[in-house]
Amino acid sequence: VVIGRGWDTSGAAYLDENAPPRTDSSYSLSRVLVENLAREFSYQRGLAISCHRYCGFGYVPDNDLGPRLFCRTLPPADVARAAILAATNYDLRGDVFLIAPRSPFTPVDMIQAMSNPKPVVDKYFPGACAILEKRDMAMEPTHFWPMCDTRKAKLILGWEPKLTFEKWLINN
């Protein structure tokens, strides 16, 4: 809805649920329309409905996620937990939630990482670049955006990702 099929519809952006839709395909357009329909139907019928805007998940094994955990990718288990928490919350009325990795980076970090990611990563995760190099995992500028504010999911659903980059480092 906001990042598009190629991940760059909003560009290197910091997003929350109020970010304007940037539909770049019939799929993303249909998602925006379904969100609007779900919200209206939920209010009219008193049904609990929520819509989730997920980052990528399920394309890469958890052990190989590495820098994708900065902003772009979640493990399927974290996505499933968000869905279960929403399905058991009967007070939702068409709420929209961003379900994305938790990133320690700031928008300034995101901009710096687009041309020189190593100092940004070393600032938050000393020694991480050496671990990534050992695993032959290159850091791409696109690993640092879009940054998604998931505070609403934490506040209302009680959801946070369990697998963070820091936990991935500990396991690798």
Side-chain angles (χ1 to χ4, degrees):
V1 170
V2 292
I3 61 173
R5 295 184 69 89
W7 286 87
D8 58 357
T9 300
S10 290
Y14 185 87
L15 305 170
D16 65 10
E17 290 83 0
N18 296 314
R22 302 275 191 230
T23 57
D24 66 346
S25 67
S26 56
Y27 173 75
S28 57
L29 177 58
S30 70
R31 287 293 309 248
V32 169
L33 296 172
V34 166
E35 286 179 4
N36 293 334
L37 179 64
R39 185 174 33 260
E40 294 304 318
F41 190 80
S42 179
Y43 279 113
Q44 287 180 7
R45 305 288 185 196
L47 294 174
I49 297 175
S50 68
C51 298
H52 299 183
R53 296 177 179 175
Y54 299 111
C55 278
F57 66 93
Y59 300 105
V60 177
D62 292 2
N63 198 38
D64 296 335
L65 288 173
R68 293 173 186 250
L69 288 165
F70 293 151
C71 291
R72 291 218 168 189
T73 308
L74 287 167
D78 280 341
V79 172
R81 271 187 322 92
I84 290 167
L85 288 167
T88 57
N89 185 328
Y90 303 110
D91 296 323
L92 301 176
R93 293 293 178 264
D95 296 84
V96 174
F97 297 99
L98 285 176
I99 306 300
R102 184 176 61 223
S103 176
F105 305 125
T106 67
V108 172
D109 294 329
M110 175 179 57
I111 292 166
Q112 181 184 354
M114 292 178 78
S115 61
N116 192 8
K118 287 184 179 185
V120 174
V121 172
D122 279 338
K123 179 169 70 171
Y124 293 93
F125 307 103
C129 292
I131 293 170
L132 292 171
E133 285 175 15
K134 259 191 212 178
R135 297 232 17 219
D136 203 24
M137 299 177 109
M139 285 182 291
E140 305 292 331
T142 55
H143 288 146
F144 296 86
W145 61 270
M147 296 176 68
C148 295
D149 183 345
T150 60
R151 288 180 291 182
K152 183 177 176 183
K154 181 179 180 179
L155 178 67
I156 295 174
L157 300 178
W159 179 85
E160 287 187 279
K162 296 262 188 214
L163 182 59
T164 62
F165 181 71
E166 183 176 26
K167 289 180 184 173
W168 181 89
L169 279 175
I170 291 167
N171 294 331
N172 288 282

